[in-house]
């Protein structure tokens, strides 16, 4: 059961990382980053950090002490 949850969270994290990367790439063409763009990027990075922490905890619960699959 934990392995299935880990796989789902990994998939979510991958898609979320793609969205954050897309937002970063969109802002690179601009002369300056607006506060809304900056907030969205910052929130995306915070969410990825949360997902990574969750994956590490689940991997540890599953007996994989490296924190990765």
């Amino acid at each position: 059961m934990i392995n299935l949850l880990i796989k789902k969270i990994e998939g979510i994290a991958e898609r979320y990382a793609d969205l954050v990367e897309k937002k970063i790439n969109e802002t690179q063409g601009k002369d300056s980053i607006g506060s809304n763009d900056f907030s969205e990027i910052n929130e995306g990075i915070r969410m990825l950090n949360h997902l990574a922490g969750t994956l590490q905890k689940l991997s540890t619960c599953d007996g994989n002490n490296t924190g990765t699959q």
Side-chain angles (χ1 to χ4, degrees):
M1 182 175 116
I2 288 179
N3 284 335
L4 178 61
L5 184 57
I6 288 172
K7 293 284 185 202
K8 285 185 178 188
I9 293 173
E10 285 175 338
I12 291 167
E14 288 174 12
R15 290 188 303 270
Y16 213 94
D18 291 341
L19 290 172
V20 172
E21 183 178 31
K22 180 180 176 185
K23 188 64 177 177
I24 289 170
N25 290 338
E26 287 174 2
T27 61
Q28 285 182 334
K30 299 179 181 179
D31 291 335
S32 63
I33 297 176
S35 61
N36 190 43
D37 291 332
F38 184 78
S39 293
E40 288 179 15
I41 292 168
N42 188 46
E43 182 60 29
I45 292 169
R46 284 179 3 99
M47 182 57 71
L48 287 170
N49 185 47
H50 179 70
L51 289 167
T54 301
L55 282 171
Q56 184 176 17
K57 288 178 184 176
L58 287 172
S59 293
T60 301
C61 289
D62 194 35
N64 181 0
N65 293 325
T66 63
T68 60
Q69 270 295 316

